[in-house]
Amino acid sequence: MESTTDSVEKGVQQPVALPVPGLPYESFREIMGSFASGVSVVTTLTADGEPYGLTCSAVCSVSADPPLLLSCVRTPSSTLDAIRAGGHFAVNFLDAQAREVSQLFAGPGQDKFHQVDWHPGKATGMPVLERTLAHAECEVHRLVDAGDHVIVLGRLIGGDVEESRFPLGYWRGGYVQMFRMGRTARW
C-alpha cells in the first residue's frame, strides 16, 4: 500500500511506503532459498596478517564502470570487522569440488586457513583459495547497513578465472551441481 506526501524531489511527488508486516522468517527462507546461487568465500587479512573468511552465497555484480560487486555479510562478524579495518577483501567463487571448503568457512573458528590451500592475491595480498573457478580482489567502496547484514560494496582491482572449472551451487538448503546447458557467446 502506498500513499503520496508533499515530499518533493526534483519537482516530482515521491510515494511513501506505509508499514506492512513482513513475512515470517521461515517463509522468507523458503522463498529466497528457491533462488539458486553460486557459493563463495569472502576473505581478508587483519593488520597483523591473520587471515579471516566466511562462506557467502549473497554475491553479485553491481556495475561494470566502475567495476563493483557486492557481498552481504551477517553481523556480527570478525571477518567483517577485519574488512572494515583493512579496506580490502577477496571473493573466492568456489568450484564444484569445494563443498568441504564451503562447509569449513560456514562454521565458527579461526583455524580455517590451516586446513585449505591458499596464496596471497597479486593485487591486494588478500587470501585467494585454491579450489575456485574465479576470484575477485577488491577494495571497499562502501558499507551499507541492511537489517541483520552489511552490504559490502567492493571495487574490483584484480582477479583471475579458471576456465575449465564448474561452479559449486546452493539451492533450497543444499549443494547442487551446475552445468552449462549450451554454449553461448562470450559477453
Side-chain angles (χ1 to χ4, degrees):
M1 177 185 288
E2 292 185 12
S3 69
T4 58
T5 66
D6 292 331
S7 67
V8 177
E9 182 178 313
K10 296 183 182 178
V12 178
Q13 280 192 323
Q14 299 295 313
V16 175
L18 298 177
V20 176
L23 283 174
Y25 179 79
E26 288 304 317
S27 297
F28 173 80
R29 299 271 305 177
E30 286 179 17
I31 291 168
M32 297 311 297
S34 295
F35 180 69
S37 66
V39 181
S40 68
V41 172
V42 175
T43 59
T44 192
L45 295 172
T46 66
D48 297 332
E50 186 177 357
Y52 278 81
L54 55 81
T55 298
C56 182
S57 60
V59 173
C60 70
S61 63
V62 174
S63 168
D65 186 19
L68 300 174
L69 62 70
L70 69 75
S71 176
C72 298
V73 179
R74 187 179 181 114
T75 59
S77 164
S78 54
T79 299
L80 179 60
D81 294 342
I83 291 171
R84 284 183 199 270
H88 291 92
F89 63 99
V91 178
N92 296 270
F93 299 95
L94 299 183
D95 76 13
Q97 305 302 312
R99 181 178 177 172
E100 293 80 20
V101 174
S102 171
Q103 292 169 328
L104 173 67
F105 282 89
Q110 291 180 305
D111 262 353
K112 300 171 186 175
F113 286 88
H114 291 14
Q115 300 176 52
V116 296
D117 293 327
W118 65 278
H119 63 274
K122 293 177 186 174
T124 63
M126 295 299 106
V128 174
L129 305 179
E130 293 299 321
R131 294 305 321 176
T132 63
L133 58 108
H135 75 274
E137 294 180 69
C138 303
E139 66 180 7
V140 173
H141 180 74
R142 185 170 297 146
L143 299 169
V144 180
D145 289 326
D148 59 1
H149 282 65
V150 170
I151 301 168
V152 180
L153 285 163
R155 187 174 71 83
L156 280 72
I157 56 177
D160 201 6
V161 174
E162 294 287 339
E163 295 278 342
S164 64
R165 296 182 180 175
F166 288 91
L168 178 64
Y170 199 77
W171 177 66
R172 293 190 174 163
Y175 293 99
V176 295
Q177 293 181 338
M178 296 177 148
F179 60 93
R180 186 184 314 274
M181 295 177 69
R183 200 75 176 150
T184 58
R186 283 190 76 107
W187 46 288

